[in-house]
Amino acid sequence: MAIVVTLSNHAKYMMAIGEVDLVDDVLKVILMNTTFVFDKDTHATLAAVTSDQLASGNGYTQNDKTLTTKAVAEDNTGDKATFTCDDPAWTASGGDIGPFGAMIVYDDTTADDTVIACVDFGADYTIVNGTSFTAQDLVINLS
């Protein structure tokens, strides 16, 4: 299945009024359990999705993975802007991490911890003890 990235409507609003700065704000990612289904209308803040986040343990810590080397570029050919960053990764230690099926990107700088987007992996994954999972080539299209 294909990976699907969906922006939250609240993120669009927060970017429009200048409350979210994708490059300068602290953006974090969290892994979501396999029953989580993203709703771009109601999953506006971290508080709205926290109950479906994986529990801390075995190399995964809730609300702890910060995105680095963030950039926004203009794409006139594709009529959009794109957000990119370094690849977030987790290594299982002392047991497995997961299963999980999605990742939430949120802004830890805003007062409400704005959910920027959901990355639905299109499949469920478990990071087996002693192995790693990397969310490679994360791109969020802002169109």
Side-chain angles (χ1 to χ4, degrees):
M1 295 184 79
I3 294 174
V4 176
V5 180
T6 306
L7 285 173
S8 79
N9 285 333
H10 185 59
K12 294 174 190 178
Y13 167 75
M14 294 293 276
M15 285 184 268
I17 65 169
E19 290 294 317
V20 167
D21 182 325
L22 296 175
V23 174
D24 291 329
D25 287 0
V26 174
L27 302 184
K28 293 188 174 187
V29 291
I30 59 175
L31 297 176
M32 308 305 288
N33 68 40
T34 57
T35 62
F36 177 72
V37 177
F38 185 66
D39 183 325
K40 66 182 178 181
D41 298 322
T42 61
H43 291 143
T45 66
L46 179 62
V49 299
T50 295
S51 64
D52 287 304
Q53 181 179 179
L54 292 184
S56 291
N58 300 329
Y60 178 79
T61 303
Q62 289 188 332
N63 309 330
D64 191 47
K65 184 67 66 178
T66 301
L67 296 178
T68 59
T69 316
K70 300 170 295 187
V72 174
E74 183 176 346
D75 177 355
N76 290 324
T77 303
D79 296 326
K80 60 187 173 187
T82 57
F83 167 83
T84 58
C85 61
D86 281 346
D87 301 336
W90 294 266
T91 300
S93 176
D96 297 346
I97 298 173
F100 57 92
M103 177 175 76
I104 291 287
V105 178
Y106 74 96
D107 189 330
D108 195 41
T109 305
T110 58
D112 66 1
D113 292 330
T114 301
V115 167
I116 304 300
C118 177
V119 179
D120 185 330
F121 296 120
D124 295 338
Y125 293 94
T126 297
I127 308 169
V128 176
N129 186 28
T131 66
S132 297
F133 174 87
T134 302
Q136 293 182 318
D137 303 323
L138 176 62
V139 176
I140 299 174
N141 291 318
L142 308 168
S143 54

